[in-house]
Amino acid sequence: MTEARGPAGPPARRAPGAPCWVSLMVHEVAATQEFYGALFGWEFRAGPQQLGPCVRALLGGHEVAGIGQLPADRRLPVAWTPYLASDDVDLTAETVRLCGGTVGVGPLDAEASGRLVIGSDPSGAVFGVRQAATHLGTSPSGTPGTPAWHELLTFETASVAKFYETVFGYDEEPVVSADVDHVTLRLGDRPVAGIHGVGNTLPRDRGPHWMTYFEVADTDQAVALLVGLGGHVLRPPHDCEHGRVATVTDPEGAWFSLIQSPRWNGEEGGGRGRTGRFPRAPRWS
């Protein structure tokens, strides 16, 4: 995980392929604001309206995520969606199509957010692509309430990893193991995301999907607060190589994970267990 740092100035422009933003589309924006505001300490202000009513979540005055309104007449899944940076979103959209993915929304201009695309990989997992304008994306990182990592849960890694490598130029670092199907996607020497093949254990009602990990100071306390706010626990807090993790949902059913990195325990190096999958020091720039 990255070293903790406060919101010191604006974010740098992300390298192509680096996660740069995360958003959530929901049915009840006001109720969702209340939930995440209480859970992470977020505040909110209005965002660009090209995709419908939406707000941006702020932490310490800096933007960390977006929440938008799902169309009332469309039964779309409620899910957190990571956005990957691009210097030419139109070219990236065309490459997505040529590599077997689909483009569902865009490319379109979204005020200061730049130019956006929402698409899916060949397995059906949804992700966004973003060509930044004046708003460069998530600002603080490595502090409680900010996105810490993104992991794609899918049937198998080989073909899906090849798609992301071709579209975004990642290098692949597979786990060499007979019983683990996991790939770390890297930009140069920096891990930026993971792909985890889970075979038939993938939930039937979710299909392949991206999982966002949010940093917290204390996973157990955060889970207790989440339950009190109407969220649900899918996997209780447990120790892994990178800290203490829990998989949860918000009241509308959006899946995400909470991660308490070792530094919040006053520990150095790895966590108390050795079952984690994502790399030790993901950095987004």
Side-chain angles (χ1 to χ4, degrees):
M1 307 295 293
T2 55
E3 291 300 317
R5 70 176 187 267
R13 186 175 296 274
R14 301 302 196 272
C20 60
W21 189 242
V22 64
S23 70
L24 174 66
M25 300 295 287
V26 299
H27 299 287
E28 299 292 340
V29 173
T32 301
Q33 287 180 238
E34 184 176 350
F35 171 83
Y36 285 101
L39 181 63
F40 293 138
W42 290 350
E43 298 177 336
F44 300 90
R45 68 181 175 204
Q49 307 297 301
Q50 280 81 352
L51 299 179
C54 73
V55 296
R56 287 177 177 160
L58 295 89
L59 189 64
H62 292 264
E63 296 175 347
V64 294
I67 298 174
Q69 176 76 54
L70 280 169
D73 59 345
R74 299 184 66 184
R75 301 305 300 175
L76 298 174
V78 176
W80 281 101
T81 301
Y83 283 73
L84 307 173
S86 172
D87 286 340
D88 187 336
V89 79
D90 294 80
L91 178 60
T92 302
E94 183 60 26
T95 308
V96 166
R97 294 188 185 98
L98 290 173
C99 293
T102 60
V103 174
V105 177
L108 57 81
D109 294 317
E111 299 177 4
S113 292
R115 195 156 172 81
L116 308 177
V117 156
I118 299 175
S120 59
D121 65 30
S123 74
V126 175
F127 64 95
V129 183
R130 189 167 174 274
Q131 180 180 343
T134 57
H135 173 249
L136 298 181
T138 299
S139 180
S141 63
T143 55
T146 64
W149 184 245
H150 300 286
E151 186 103 337
L152 172 60
L153 302 180
T154 189
F155 295 107
E156 53 82 28
T157 64
S159 61
V160 179
K162 187 60 64 179
F163 167 83
Y164 286 99
E165 291 165 24
T166 303
V167 174
F168 295 104
Y170 298 129
D171 293 320
E172 175 183 328
E173 181 184 339
V175 171
V176 180
S177 172
D179 59 352
V180 174
D181 183 15
H182 188 274
V183 168
T184 299
L185 300 176
R186 306 178 69 93
L187 290 173
D189 64 345
R190 296 183 174 185
V192 294
I195 302 177
H196 191 187
V198 297
N200 292 329
T201 63
L202 197 68
R204 291 179 178 270
D205 61 339
R206 304 299 296 186
H209 62 279
W210 282 93
M211 174 77 73
T212 295
Y213 289 72
F214 288 95
E215 190 80 56
V216 293
D218 187 305
T219 300
D220 295 82
Q221 289 183 8
V223 166
L225 176 59
L226 174 138
V227 171
L229 294 169
H232 303 278
V233 179
L234 298 176
R235 188 177 183 192
H238 58 282
D239 294 317
C240 75
E241 182 179 359
H242 308 283
R244 191 158 175 79
V245 181
T247 304
V248 298
T249 77
D250 66 21
E252 285 208 23
W255 292 28
F256 60 101
S257 289
L258 304 171
I259 171 75
Q260 174 188 347
S261 299
R263 66 176 171 274
W264 304 114
N265 303 331
E267 300 177 20
E268 296 294 333
R272 286 161 282 188
R274 283 292 180 187
T275 60
R277 296 287 180 245
F278 58 80
R280 180 173 299 279
R283 291 178 289 179
W284 289 9
S285 57

